[in-house]
Amino acid sequence: MHKFILRRLAMLIPVILGVSFIVFSIMDLTPGDPVEMYLGDNYTDEAHASMTKELGLDKPFIVRYLSFIGNAIQGDFGISYSTHQRVLDEILARFPNTLVLAIAALFFAILAGIILGTISAAKQNSIFDSTSTFAALIGVSMPNFWFGLMLIIIFAAGLGWFPSSEFSGVKSLVLPAIALGTNSLAIITRMTRSSLLETIRQDYVRTARAKGLKEYKVIIKHALRNAMIPIITISGLQFGFLISGAVVIETVFSWPGIGRLLVEAIQLKDTPIVLSLVVIKATMFTVINLGTDIMYAFFDPRIRAQYKAKGA
Amino acid sequence: MNTTIIPSKNQGSEILPEKKKKSQLVSIWKRLKKNKLAVAGLIILSFIGLTAAFANVLFDYNTVVIQQNAAERLQPPSAKHWLGTDELGRDILARIVHGARISIPIAFTTILIATVVGGLIGAISGYGSKRVDNFIMRIMDIFLAIPGILLSIAIVAALGPSLRNLLIAISIANIPPFARIVRASVLSIRNEEFIEAARAIGANGVRIIFKHIIPNSMAPVIVQATLCIAGSILEIAALSFIGLGIQPPAPEWGAMLSGGRQYIRYAWWICAFPGIAIMLTILSLNLLGDGLRDALDPKLKN
Amino acid sequence: MTDRKLLEIRNLNVEYRTDDEIVYAVNSLDLSLNSGESLGLVGETGAGKSTTALSILQLVADPPGKTTSGEILFEGEDLLKAKKDFLRHIRGNKISMIFQDPMTSLNPVYSVGDQIAEVIYLHEKCSKSEAQQKAAEMLETVGIPKERYDEYPHQFSGGMKQRVVIAMSIACSPQLILADEPTTALDVTIQAQVLELMNDLKVKFNTSLLLITHDLGVVAQVCDRVAIMYAGEIVEIGTVEEVFENPKHPYTVGLFRSIPQLDEKVDRLKPIKGQMPDPTNLPSGCKFHPRCPHAIEACTKIQPAMTNVKGTHIVKCFIHEGKFESTELMEEVK
């Protein structure tokens, strides 16, 4: 098992190198002089020349890329053009906020998605089922930043239940988490329903009924447990998106996370922050997907056995 | 063709598939018609397409959509302005109708580019040697490791916000799924008899790709394209919303949301309606895409 | 063997309804089973045997399955009208079921021991650890070492899985076991072992058994009585001796002819001509008449009644109603 995980982790390295190479190349195309960005408007030619050297911009592309990688591994992502702080510090200061928001959104999406999907499947073709299926269709088709704005209009501006943009306590988390999690909620609902409809027809579910179990126990303990693998897969993928793709929603709610940091950095043309953020987010996305893969094992003894066989 | 004869080049291989294709299209259409949700999607989509096509007849671009009118700022929905006016006194309905002329063509273009480029990459990958295949697919894996919106943001951030860069960014972000689908189709049919037959009569690789493999992988590609157009419309709106896409005063839906954001406390309609336009367009594309998938592959249904 | 009726099915009708058609799976079926008795229910695939067994426990999937009329009396209580709670108390406790395919009837994500313990914990007022202990004993009873309690279904062979299913079904000492082709999915050697095991357990626990099979040999080995089912109806029923030594219905006769006999030298087997009728469009009159070599016009119009020919031997055929005589058949039957 550990060997298997290690091997999968090793396979991440070329992917992450590739991602960083692509992003680094894209960023290198950015028009404008980074030294100028860094120094501001007033600088001497000597200052420009020494800063060019200090930033290593006189070196060829591939050398710059390799030194970026080398430094990044040591946790050095460079200096922000705009704040002149270390990029890593800037990101670490904001990351917990994004993590809290993503976890809250995922928790909401998984909990509500599995409940809605399960009731839908258990009462297939009922009014509840058609309503929740249609709502899920709307949910996947809705731009989350627009939904966020609508939540602000109704619950913050209208009813005044929640703050719209202050960043304070649990109350300020509610609306952004719902806005961010709703797409995932819809996707998880659909996946739960279709996956459960499949397992509900299996023979072992009939066996469970024949034992005299209560219907909800049959559904939850026997059918849902077997339907979990695709649900976990989709939830894992969603977590990847929530944590790395939550760029726009943080802007809507003025949430001080790394998504908003990215937008701010783009507006300020702060290339080191943009570059590092994209690489870090893509890395997190990949690592979360790997984590999802490993999570399967806890739900299906057959896959657990395979992992054991491979790892041994 | 009851008797087994070696097909002469023109009769066996050209005419027969043509006929077969036609009857296939008919049965796909019949299955699609049965799916009420897909038909609803098609109707909504046609409606949006028609209003976009005749947008200039309905509302003049320069005087209604772009020109500011301070006297009519922030008017709620009324008989004169069905969906109200924005912070600069422009009619929101007119801007939404004209907005479709921006989002939909761009989305189609990006997915067309992604389909052609991704399809070619996938065909080469599936039809090429193992080494070529491995090389290409590893690169696609790397692209897939970056969420599409993040890749688009990175590209536009680097190249600067403009229509051309937006097209490039969204197209590139959508290439990998098409490459994967076409590759999978190619791998599944490259060893089938009719490909071997084509090879046997001396057709070269390019001819086989264009004549046989691409037509045969059409079905999943069309489904994916429909769903990706929906995704593309969403990405255009998201990028415009954070100022990286279409720039004001063009009436792009995401840009409209961004412009109206400051006023949501007093004028909910500025943000509500453009979002509904985005949602309806995406919803209808999703419905159509799901319906097409079921119609093209009845085995997958239930 | 007492004469107390444990199970009595009266006029049972079950249909499967889809958008386009109705499958008539079980039609006016009557059947009864005494305490401690084992009855074989024999018929071709699609004759409605499994549906009959499933409807006893109300496990027919609904939709598309629907029980349209009838009574299923278990110890005098009509299970079709019973409340859900009562039905759950019966399921797995008083009546248990062994399913056809052991490969798919165990839940892949729970250990076999826990799956057995589940039914014990549910019906016997005991603690979880007591249930686990008893489940381990049940494993031993069916010949599986209790050390394998924590293993998962995928680690077992088909025959071993079926033993687990059997252990599960006898765990609460039910009065009746419904066994739906318990050996069909197994190798021949394993089949014999499983049958022997079931026989032993039946004697040991004095359980009644409804054994569904299409294999007459299995019936001879395990059952006291046998019922022959065709197109959702019982066409002949009697003790194993009565039916095996003196088959009366043309279909039963055909069934016996289509299996090879070891002690007789036959030039070639005679399968029954034709196929099972389309269950969405059953023939009028006697449902066997299109395939029956002796059918007369009356058979195409009127349903024959169940007629007692001798002892407990009952047949549904005009020949034995005295309505007409087919000398040809009478000779064959003898």
Side-chain angles (χ1 to χ4, degrees), chain A residues 15 18-19 22 26-27 30-31 137 141 143 145-146 149-150 152-153 164 190 244 248 251-252 266 281-282 285-286, chain B residues 142 144-145 147 150 153-155 158 234 238 241 244 257 261 264-265 268 271-272 275-276 278 282-283 286-287 290:
Chain A
V15 172
V19 167
I22 288 168
I26 294 170
M27 286 299 148
T30 312
L137 258 169
S141 307
F145 50 95
W146 173 73
L149 289 173
M150 293 301 106
I152 291 175
I153 289 178
S164 69
R190 279 160 64 113
S244 60
V248 190
T251 309
V252 171
I266 288 169
K281 277 165 169 260
F285 184 67
T286 318
Chain B
I142 290 167
L144 282 170
L150 200 60
I153 288 176
I155 294 172
L234 197 63
F241 184 78
L244 288 178
L257 286 177
R261 240 185 93 197
I264 48 174
R265 280 177 186 276
W268 54 268
C271 283
I276 292 175
I278 302 175
I282 294 174
L283 177 69
N286 281 341
L287 289 175
D290 285 351

Side-chain angles (χ1 to χ4, degrees), chain A residues 202-204 206-207 209-215 220-223 225-226 299-302 304-305, chain C residues 54 57 59 88 91-92 95 97 99 101 104-110 115 118-119 122-123 152 154 168:
Chain A
Q202 299 296 318
D203 286 353
Y204 53 75
R206 198 178 51 187
T207 308
R209 279 203 189 99
K211 283 179 180 176
L213 285 171
K214 289 206 168 103
E215 187 62 19
I220 291 169
K221 201 175 161 196
H222 288 268
R225 176 74 189 267
N226 277 281
F299 280 85
D300 194 329
R302 289 165 295 184
R304 203 154 56 215
Chain C
L54 287 172
L57 282 180
L59 287 173
R88 278 200 295 270
R91 286 177 183 170
I95 305 178
M97 188 147 182
F99 294 100
D101 191 350
T104 57
S105 49
L106 289 173
N107 193 327
V109 301
Y110 295 108
Q115 293 190 53
E118 188 180 29
V119 71
L122 191 66
H123 293 293
Y152 289 91
H154 71 268
M168 206 187 289

Side-chain angles (χ1 to χ4, degrees), chain C residues 218-232:
Chain C
V218 170
V219 173
Q221 202 177 333
V222 179
C223 296
D224 311 314
R225 285 168 66 222
V226 59
I228 312 287
M229 207 167 167
Y230 184 79

Side-chain angles (χ1 to χ4, degrees), chain B:
Chain B
M1 290 240 304
N2 301 328
T3 49
T4 38
I5 46 167
I6 297 155
S8 73
K9 219 175 185 177
N10 287 328
Q11 279 174 354
S13 56
E14 314 276 315
I15 295 172
L16 206 66
E18 190 75 12
K19 251 188 195 165
K20 199 180 135 206
K21 204 138 277 160
K22 225 173 218 167
S23 68
Q24 247 181 1
L25 279 180
V26 171
S27 68
I28 289 168
W29 172 240
K30 271 187 185 155
R31 282 200 292 270
L32 189 65
K33 266 201 306 193
K34 270 193 195 164
N35 186 333
K36 279 179 202 137
L37 286 176
V39 173
L42 198 59
I43 291 171
I44 301 174
L45 210 57
S46 314
F47 177 74
I48 295 170
L50 277 176
T51 50
F54 293 104
N56 281 323
V57 182
L58 297 166
F59 303 100
D60 185 70
Y61 188 75
N62 284 321
T63 60
V64 183
V65 176
I66 298 300
Q67 202 175 62
Q68 302 178 7
N69 185 351
E72 305 212 341
R73 292 182 70 222
L74 300 175
Q75 302 239 329
S78 65
K80 192 176 172 205
H81 300 287
W82 289 1
L83 304 183
T85 59
D86 68 4
E87 73 279 11
L88 299 170
R90 299 170 298 194
D91 185 83
I92 290 180
L93 178 62
R95 287 176 66 76
I96 288 177
V97 168
H98 277 270
R101 290 172 76 96
I102 301 174
S103 298
I104 295 175
I106 297 179
F108 269 87
T109 314
T110 52
I111 300 308
L112 189 69
I113 298 171
T115 309
V116 172
V117 178
L120 272 176
I121 292 174
I124 293 167
S125 183
Y127 199 71
S129 69
K130 191 137 197 181
R131 193 182 280 177
V132 172
D133 182 31
N134 257 328
F135 180 70
I136 293 178
M137 289 329 283
R138 289 302 79 76
I139 291 179
M140 289 299 121
D141 281 350
I142 290 167
F143 272 95
L144 282 170
I146 316 176
I149 183 81
L150 200 60
L151 185 59
S152 305
I153 288 176
I155 294 172
V156 181
L159 302 180
S162 76
L163 177 60
R164 190 199 60 178
N165 295 342
L166 184 70
L167 278 173
I168 294 175
I170 298 181
S171 304
I172 291 178
N174 278 293
I175 286 175
F178 289 100
R180 283 199 148 188
I181 290 171
V182 174
R183 173 177 173 271
S185 307
V186 171
L187 285 181
S188 72
I189 62 174
R190 68 178 283 185
N191 294 324
E192 285 198 20
E193 279 179 30
F194 66 96
I195 298 288
E196 276 177 30
R199 214 177 292 164
I201 60 171
N204 63 24
V206 175
R207 195 187 146 81
I208 289 175
I209 287 183
F210 276 95
K211 269 261 156 206
H212 298 284
I213 290 182
I214 290 188
N216 272 289
S217 46
M218 265 336 248
V221 167
I222 288 171
V223 172
Q224 180 70 29
T226 316
L227 299 173
C228 275
I229 290 171
S232 176
I233 286 178
L234 197 63
E235 277 177 29
I236 295 167
L239 286 171
S240 302
F241 184 78
I242 54 173
L244 288 178
I246 307 294
Q247 301 299 311
E252 201 282 330
W253 295 334
M256 289 171 75
L257 286 177
S258 163
R261 240 185 93 197
Q262 308 158 24
Y263 303 95
I264 48 174
R265 280 177 186 276
Y266 334 102
W268 54 268
W269 54 91
I270 304 186
C271 283
F273 296 117
I276 292 175
I278 302 175
M279 190 180 75
L280 269 183
T281 314
I282 294 174
L283 177 69
S284 56
L285 282 162
N286 281 341
L287 289 175
L288 184 65
D290 285 351
L292 276 174
R293 175 171 41 214
D294 294 345
L296 289 167
D297 196 349
K299 277 172 294 179
L300 284 179
K301 208 183 169 192
N302 286 332

